[in-house]
Amino acid sequence: MRKVSLVLIFLFFCAAVKVKAQSNNQNTWTYTYLKATNGQKENLKIFLKKNWFAMDSIAVRQGLFNDYELIENISKNDSLTWDFIVAVEYFTTGTYTDIAEKWQAISKAHKTININGLSFKELGKIVKSETVQNKSDIKYSPPCIGEQFEILKPFLGDWEEYIVEDGKEQLFGRLIISLSTEGCSLNKKFRLYNRSGSYLTSGYYDPAEKAWIETFMFRNGNYTKYRWVVEGKDVVMVRIASSSKSDYLNRNRWTNITPDSFDILEERSYDLGKTWKVFSTTKLKRK
């Protein structure tokens, strides 16, 4: 879907309301401390993103982890004992032991990417690991599960968007697609890289229509609403309402879906849906 340089505002829809309550529940994290080999800090950082985080992102989509992040030590002290912390949040206090079998399947399927010909052993080492807990006063809510959420899982994450014209790709923005745990609403955040422009959207699952409904609300008060439809291996966002009139029907086909990329074809019909033509193509690559 081609992006225009308009600033959109957020419209929130909540699929369900969950009551917050006092709880002794704790979020459990593992902190893995790493020290880079002399002169290899940036290469180690790239290695972690292309290997560790590539696997972590799959674990999040499969519901094994709740979150993960990279913490960088920016102190200039030469005697630093660590350069990075890889932090992983688990749903349970059992941490890795509860998901070991499924994690090993992810690890075996991943092909290690060396950086400038260097392996992890040549870039750095693990200096220590620890488990910490962060107390929360919010009652634990399980991850969004069920058939209606499976349609979303391939698209959750952090993406870079490229306009594709004449076979050439031009990077133009960043899109983050996520599910809120409370209410399990679909959320998108987009921003342009080279000029002012961003948007936020939210969607909810409509049991009556058995489909996700997503709304874009524009700064000037206009809006556009889409329904998510599965067509074979594709997902199609069909425009079902808009405050602006047009002489064509619009839909956006999410296709060529892999774990690390997918295409969005903006399709238009000028004969009430009898025939459709591709108006623009966007490629998204996992960041």
Side-chain angles (χ1 to χ4, degrees), residues 9-47:
I9 64 173
F10 177 75
L11 180 65
F12 178 79
F13 286 94
C14 187
V17 177
K18 292 187 180 292
V19 178
K20 294 184 178 181
Q22 293 295 323
S23 171
N24 292 324
N25 179 69
Q26 295 177 325
N27 297 325
T28 304
W29 293 76
T30 60
Y31 284 0
T32 303
Y33 293 76
L34 301 107
K35 178 65 178 174
T37 303
N38 290 340
Q40 298 298 332
K41 182 177 179 181
E42 285 304 311
N43 282 334
L44 176 60
K45 184 177 182 179
I46 297 171
F47 182 94

Side-chain angles (χ1 to χ4, degrees), residues 4 15 26 34 86 89 104 106 110 113 121-122 133 156 161 167 169 178 180-181 212 231 245 255 257 275 277 284 286:
V4 295
Q26 295 177 325
L34 301 107
V86 172
E89 183 184 16
Q104 288 172 9
I106 295 173
H110 175 74
I113 300 174
K121 291 192 299 184
E122 297 166 303
Q133 291 185 322
L156 299 179
E161 293 203 23
E169 299 175 2
S178 62
S180 68
T181 302
W212 283 89
E231 289 189 2
K245 294 184 178 180
T255 188
I257 303 164
T275 60
K277 291 185 178 181
L284 289 94
R286 193 172 295 280

